[in-house]
């Protein structure tokens, strides 16, 4: 999520693709949102588990006993939830699938190594259930946040060895169970989104969570086709097999992402219609220079870079909410916060999809040559302007901060005090 946003303003496609304007579906094609409209303004936060960025504490992996590790992890999570409650946060977006592993006892994925240091090792408790119990006791909602395609955060020899060591486990890592699904992209091991069985597998993982746990929502982040300039996804063989009816590989890739969203949306509607389904994409759908329906921005766009037609999903009613990551200040001319927030507000206005704006807490208080406003008076004036805009636009239904770990960083101290005064009880 963070890395994609950082690259946004520097990796724009140089030539517009052939397919330009996405037509608005006719009334007969639109479907109703999955869950009833929520009257509550969301004050949310992303709580990241990949690489133990926010939780669990790195120190808990190094303790001498499993009982102590469990206690440290549970105490740390309760402390975080207490602090979030005092801050006025009412929704936690909890990363339950950071890669090809799980933070619940899954029959499809092995246990995550962020809990014990070893992929597949039983942590001795159910972190997802613990989070749900503790958050719900505090009157807070929990959305299960999935990274759909990432299998690992790197492709090092040690990572390969760790993945291969799961071969005797049930379930083993998808890296060994379905080696033919695995590709390299963005210097990570990822699943190939063009393989139908891959999309079915991801949908089954979501189904497992929503049928076993009282989660309030499901969210996918922006990693659909997550490539980098030095590490492209080699899916030519997959395209040759499945993509011959498409005018271009780009159109085929977008259709693969479309099919995943449709599958997951349909599954949630059928199995747990009260669970909200949302996506948190990069902030730019398309630039106006490529598409007259796009925003007045300049940078990498979801449609062209990650092959995600996020605007279409809103128009079709496939999502209960969309949470674009608008990680720039008002003064960033290539991607102004107000330009994008108002553009997204206009997109959701004729639909029943709710709009939550992702805000860059990780930039607050940090000196920046390109975005100096984040450091002025501890970033409070910029943060205030963004929240004021969100509150004043009736088509914006909330704010989500990225990410929880930055609440305790020295540079965000003034902003956190401001948030506590503004949101706290």
């Amino acid at each position: 999520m963070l890395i994609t946003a950082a690259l946004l303003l520097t990796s724009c496609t140089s030539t517009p693709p052939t397919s330009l304007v996405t037509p608005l579906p006719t009334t007969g094609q639109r479907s109703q949102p999955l869950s009833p409209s929520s009257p509550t303004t969301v004050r949310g936060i992303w709580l990241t588990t990949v690489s133990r960025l926010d939780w669990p504490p790195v120190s808990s992996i190094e303790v001498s006993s499993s009982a102590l590790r469990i206690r440290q992890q549970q105490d740390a999570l309760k402390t975080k939830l207490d602090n979030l409650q005092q801050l006025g946060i009412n929704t936690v977006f909890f990363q339950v699938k950071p890669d090809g592993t799980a933070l619940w006892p899954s029959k499809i994925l092995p246990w995550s190594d962020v809990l014990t240091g070893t992929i597949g090792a039983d942590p001795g408790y159910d972190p997802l259930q613990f989070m749900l119990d503790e958050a719900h006791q505090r009157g807070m909602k929990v959305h299960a946040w999935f990274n759909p395609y990432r299998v690992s955060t790197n492709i090092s020899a040690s990572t390969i060895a760790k993945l291969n060591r799961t071969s005797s486990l049930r379930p083993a890592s998808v890296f060994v169970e379905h080696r033919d699904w695995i590709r390299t992209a963005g210097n990570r091991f990822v699943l190939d989104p063009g393989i139908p069985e891959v999309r079915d597998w991801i949908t089954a993982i979501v189904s497992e969570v929503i049928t076993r746990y009282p989660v309030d929502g499901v969210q996918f982040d922006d990693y659909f086709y997550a490539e980098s300039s030095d590490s492209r996804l080699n899916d030519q063989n997959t395209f040759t097999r499945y993509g011959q009816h498409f005018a271009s590989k780009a159109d085929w890739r977008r259709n693969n992402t479309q099919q995943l969203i449709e599958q997951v949306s349909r599954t949630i509607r059928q199995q747990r219609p009260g669970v909200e389904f949302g996506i948190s994409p990069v902030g730019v759908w398309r630039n106006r220079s490529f598409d007259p329906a796009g925003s007045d921005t300049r940078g990498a766009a979801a449609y062209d870079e990650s092959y995600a037609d996020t605007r279409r999903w809103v128009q079709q009613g496939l999502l209960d909410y969309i949470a674009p990551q608008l990680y720039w200040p008002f003064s960033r001319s290539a991607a102004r916060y107000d330009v994008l927030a108002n553009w997204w507000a206009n997109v959701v206005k004729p639909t029943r999809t709710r709009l939550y704006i992702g805000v860059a807490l990780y930039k607050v208080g940090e000196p920046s040559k390109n975005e100096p406003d984040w450091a002025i008076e501890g970033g409070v004036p910029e943060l205030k302007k963004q929240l004021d805009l969100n509150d004043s636009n009736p088509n914006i239904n909330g704010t989500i901060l990225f990410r929880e770990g930055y609440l305790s960083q020295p540079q965000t101290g003034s902003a956190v005090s401001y948030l506590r005064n503004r949101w706290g009880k």
Side-chain angles (χ1 to χ4, degrees):
M1 197 175 277
L2 173 59
I3 295 174
T4 304
L7 293 174
L8 177 69
L9 300 183
T10 60
S11 62
C12 182
T13 304
S14 58
T15 305
T18 303
S19 303
L20 291 179
V21 180
T22 304
L24 184 70
T26 64
T27 303
Q29 290 176 303
R30 296 185 191 178
S31 57
Q32 296 300 313
L34 286 71
S35 69
S37 179
S38 171
T40 304
T41 298
V42 164
R43 298 187 299 272
I45 199 155
W46 280 291
L47 201 157
T48 307
T49 59
V50 66
S51 302
R52 304 184 189 93
L53 291 177
D54 296 334
W55 183 89
V58 175
S59 60
S60 68
I61 309 303
E62 303 164 352
V63 298
S64 57
S65 72
S66 59
L68 182 57
R69 172 180 48 76
I70 293 170
R71 184 162 68 250
Q72 282 192 12
Q73 292 181 0
Q74 293 183 344
D75 286 348
L77 193 55
K78 287 192 288 187
T79 297
K80 287 181 181 294
L81 290 172
D82 285 341
N83 292 336
L84 294 176
Q85 186 179 31
Q86 293 173 7
L87 194 65
I89 296 294
N90 58 27
T91 310
V92 179
F93 297 83
F94 181 50
Q95 193 172 36
V96 299
K97 182 186 176 295
D99 44 35
T101 62
L103 273 78
W104 72 94
S106 174
K107 296 180 180 179
I108 305 171
L109 301 170
W111 278 110
S112 180
D113 56 327
V114 304
L115 300 164
T116 63
T118 303
I119 300 174
D122 188 335
Y125 74 110
D126 184 338
L128 175 53
Q129 187 63 60
F130 185 81
M131 164 61 92
L132 288 164
D133 290 343
E134 293 294 328
H136 286 167
Q137 286 175 17
R138 292 165 175 79
M140 303 162 72
K141 292 185 177 182
V142 176
H143 288 226
W145 164 20
F146 298 80
N147 185 294
Y149 293 123
R150 184 166 59 205
V151 175
S152 69
T153 58
N154 60 69
I155 54 174
S156 68
S158 61
T159 292
I160 294 171
K162 291 175 183 177
L163 293 168
N164 282 332
R165 281 198 290 271
T166 70
S167 59
S168 61
L169 303 177
R170 294 296 178 269
S173 169
V174 66
F175 185 84
V176 295
E177 286 194 337
H178 299 285
R179 192 67 182 84
D180 55 321
W181 295 357
I182 306 299
R183 305 287 182 266
T184 300
N187 298 303
R188 301 175 175 91
F189 290 121
V190 299
L191 295 166
D192 187 337
I195 301 173
E197 291 82 5
V198 166
R199 300 191 295 269
D200 293 342
W201 185 80
I202 294 167
T203 304
I205 293 168
V206 173
S207 175
E208 182 179 61
V209 168
I210 65 172
T211 56
R212 287 173 50 186
Y213 294 92
V215 295
D216 301 290
V218 163
Q219 183 181 105
F220 284 175
D221 55 30
D222 54 319
Y223 286 94
F224 295 108
Y225 280 86
E227 302 175 297
S228 60
S229 59
D230 64 337
S231 182
R232 299 290 185 186
L233 177 72
N234 183 1
D235 56 355
Q236 185 58 41
N237 289 339
T238 314
F239 177 55
T240 299
R241 180 175 181 183
Y242 296 107
Q244 294 307 298
H245 299 298
F246 291 85
S248 68
K249 182 187 280 190
D251 288 342
W252 170 73
R253 281 183 166 189
R254 272 185 290 274
N255 186 66
N256 295 333
T257 313
Q258 177 77 22
Q259 288 190 72
L260 174 69
I261 301 307
E262 289 179 358
Q263 281 185 232
V264 173
S265 178
R266 183 170 59 248
T267 297
I268 295 173
R269 177 181 289 112
Q270 292 172 349
Q271 297 182 348
R272 284 282 309 282
V275 172
E276 296 183 29
F277 178 42
I279 305 289
S280 177
V282 295
V284 177
W285 167 70
R286 302 208 79 195
N287 296 293
R288 187 177 295 171
S289 59
F290 278 15
D291 192 322
S295 53
D296 185 12
T297 49
R298 303 182 305 278
Y303 185 98
D304 305 299
E305 302 290 336
S306 55
Y307 305 94
D309 194 348
T310 52
R311 172 175 168 265
R312 182 183 184 189
W313 306 338
V314 172
Q315 294 171 340
Q316 291 181 323
L318 296 174
L319 307 178
D320 291 300
Y321 68 91
I322 193 160
Q325 301 165 34
L326 306 192
Y327 292 164
W328 310 280
F330 276 65
S331 63
R332 191 68 190 267
S333 61
R336 284 179 58 101
Y337 182 90
D338 54 334
V339 167
L340 282 164
N342 290 324
W343 184 89
W344 277 107
N346 287 329
V347 169
V348 303
K349 185 176 181 179
T351 76
R352 294 177 62 183
T353 303
R354 296 184 289 281
L355 174 60
Y356 311 143
I357 303 294
V359 167
L361 178 66
Y362 73 95
K363 290 185 176 181
V364 170
E366 288 283 1
S368 169
K369 180 180 178 180
N370 292 325
E371 300 178 359
D373 295 46
W374 292 117
I376 296 173
E377 296 181 37
V380 172
E382 178 64 33
L383 182 61
K384 180 181 184 300
K385 282 201 299 184
Q386 296 190 8
L387 296 181
D388 285 348
L389 189 156
N390 294 357
D391 288 349
S392 66
N393 191 315
N395 296 303
I396 297 177
N397 309 107
T399 301
I400 310 175
L401 305 174
F402 185 80
R403 55 182 170 80
E404 188 276 337
Y406 284 90
L407 292 173
S408 57
Q409 296 299 310
Q411 69 271 18
T412 63
S414 297
V416 171
S417 295
Y418 171 75
L419 286 170
R420 188 175 293 111
N421 290 330
R422 180 170 181 142
W423 284 352
K425 298 175 182 178

